[in-house]
Amino acid sequence: MPEGPEIRREADKVEKALQKGPIIEMYTAFDRLKAYENLLSGSKVNKVATKGKAMLIHLSSGYTIYSHNQLYGRWYVKNSYTYPKTNRKLRLALHNEKQSALLYSASDVEIMPTEEIEDHPFVSRVGPDPLSEQVTVDMIAARSLDKKFRNRRFTSLLLDQHFIGGIGNYLRSEILFAAGIYPEQRPADLSEGQVRQVAEALLLLMNRSYKYKGVTTDETVVEGAKAEGKTYSEYRHWVFNRGGQPCRVDGSEIIRFTAGSRRCYYCPTCQRK
């Protein structure tokens, strides 16, 4: 499933396309939303926001289109009324005179008055989204120590969208490595300084992944790997998907284990118990 940085980049792409002119036609595959096809014609796109792994297209007509890619959804941006060659099923299409934004495969699509979007069952439950909202280290640190979250192991807490929106499986491992925190620890087990280290790593790596198309390592790693002719997948992460390989910092063997039925990775010396 795409994580927050991937959805934020898709949102940027959709926003850029749809702000080139008012919507001249909308298509939806869902009978329950058909009435909106004419209603939203002529609307301008004010903003395309994200809330965790959901996309929110805010329209000048006072409505917001909510979508969640789930496992298989994908947005395409094409020249107006140009469609990709794909076996996927078109679920939503928004056309202006220059470009079309096309959502395929996703089934979680809703249209609501913008003033009510915060009451949507998914949106109302998601925590702050660092890629679309003003989120600070202090806010994340305080949230980590809240009674709702402080006794949760980081392996489960970081995947909980109620905590912070947009973190997924690769970011979970990468954030904890960057913070130097053993994955099975809880916020309650840490010093105030360590809690802040997690918060700082969270903001840094979410923004780095967004800016550099999924890369969470730093420039030194990337430049060194490219000089050696290594591929994107070989330099992309610090520990994720690198089980059995040497740590980029101290050479220790990266450990892979399962947490919450999903794979997780850590360095046993950089992230001591």
Side-chain angles (χ1 to χ4, degrees):
M1 180 184 292
E3 301 186 23
E6 288 72 43
I7 298 301
R8 183 61 257 175
R9 287 198 302 276
E10 283 201 339
D12 291 345
K13 180 174 65 176
V14 169
E15 181 177 83
K16 182 178 179 180
L18 294 182
Q19 287 188 334
K20 291 183 176 179
I23 295 170
I24 57 175
E25 185 180 2
M26 168 185 160
Y27 162 81
T28 174
F30 306 105
D31 289 340
R32 57 188 168 77
L33 300 178
K34 284 292 184 181
Y36 290 100
E37 290 181 339
N38 290 330
L39 181 63
L40 300 184
S41 179
S43 297
K44 295 180 180 179
V45 172
N46 291 334
K47 180 180 181 181
V48 180
T50 57
K51 189 66 173 176
K53 300 174 186 179
M55 187 183 297
L56 305 173
I57 302 174
H58 298 301
L59 304 175
S60 62
S61 52
Y63 288 89
T64 291
I65 301 172
Y66 160 96
S67 65
H68 194 299
N69 281 23
Q70 301 168 298
L71 285 174
Y72 304 111
R74 181 176 175 183
W75 282 94
Y76 293 83
V77 169
K78 298 287 185 180
N79 290 334
S80 192
Y81 291 97
T82 301
Y83 298 89
K85 294 180 179 179
T86 177
N87 292 325
R88 296 169 178 265
K89 293 188 176 181
L90 181 62
R91 303 296 191 182
L92 177 71
L94 299 167
H95 307 281
N96 60 35
E97 290 186 354
K98 294 186 177 181
Q99 294 199 282
S100 296
L102 312 165
L103 177 61
Y104 285 81
S105 301
S107 59
D108 190 4
V109 179
E110 298 290 343
I111 301 175
M112 300 174 62
T114 300
E115 62 188 16
E116 297 177 10
I117 197 65
E118 294 298 324
D119 297 324
H120 182 280
F122 179 85
V123 175
S124 64
R125 296 195 307 269
V126 177
D129 182 339
L131 299 179
S132 274
E133 301 168 13
Q134 288 292 107
V135 180
T136 66
V137 169
D138 287 342
M139 288 170 61
I140 297 170
R143 195 167 179 82
S144 300
L145 295 173
D146 186 277
K147 62 182 180 180
K148 293 183 294 185
F149 304 120
R150 61 180 286 108
N151 292 311
R152 300 270 305 281
R153 292 180 180 181
F154 279 110
T155 48
S156 64
L157 179 59
L158 289 179
L159 294 185
D160 185 349
Q161 298 301 293
H162 294 75
F163 174 57
I164 298 291
I167 300 174
N169 206 36
Y170 79 78
L171 280 170
R172 169 176 68 167
S173 292
E174 295 295 283
I175 288 166
L176 292 174
F177 174 80
I181 300 300
Y182 180 67
E184 297 293 349
Q185 288 184 298
R186 310 167 302 165
D189 299 326
L190 306 183
S191 67
E192 183 177 333
Q194 288 174 311
V195 171
R196 289 186 65 83
Q197 285 173 208
V198 175
E200 289 168 356
L202 190 159
L203 283 182
L204 174 66
L205 294 193
M206 286 195 76
N207 280 282
R208 182 181 290 167
S209 181
Y210 162 58
K211 184 176 181 180
Y212 295 108
K213 299 181 179 180
V215 174
T216 48
T217 53
D218 61 26
E219 291 181 2
T220 301
V221 172
V222 174
E223 291 173 1
K226 286 182 176 180
E228 295 175 7
K230 292 184 177 179
T231 63
Y232 169 83
S233 62
E234 292 176 300
Y235 62 71
R236 181 181 178 188
H237 296 312
W238 291 106
V239 293
F240 185 77
N241 208 30
R242 299 190 67 244
Q245 298 182 49
C247 174
R248 300 188 191 279
V249 175
D250 68 4
S252 298
E253 183 177 312
I254 300 299
I255 304 298
R256 169 180 170 164
F257 69 104
T258 300
S261 301
R262 303 179 73 182
R263 57 201 171 109
C264 192
Y265 301 82
Y266 75 103
C267 172
T269 52
C270 292
Q271 297 167 264
R272 293 185 183 276
K273 296 183 183 180

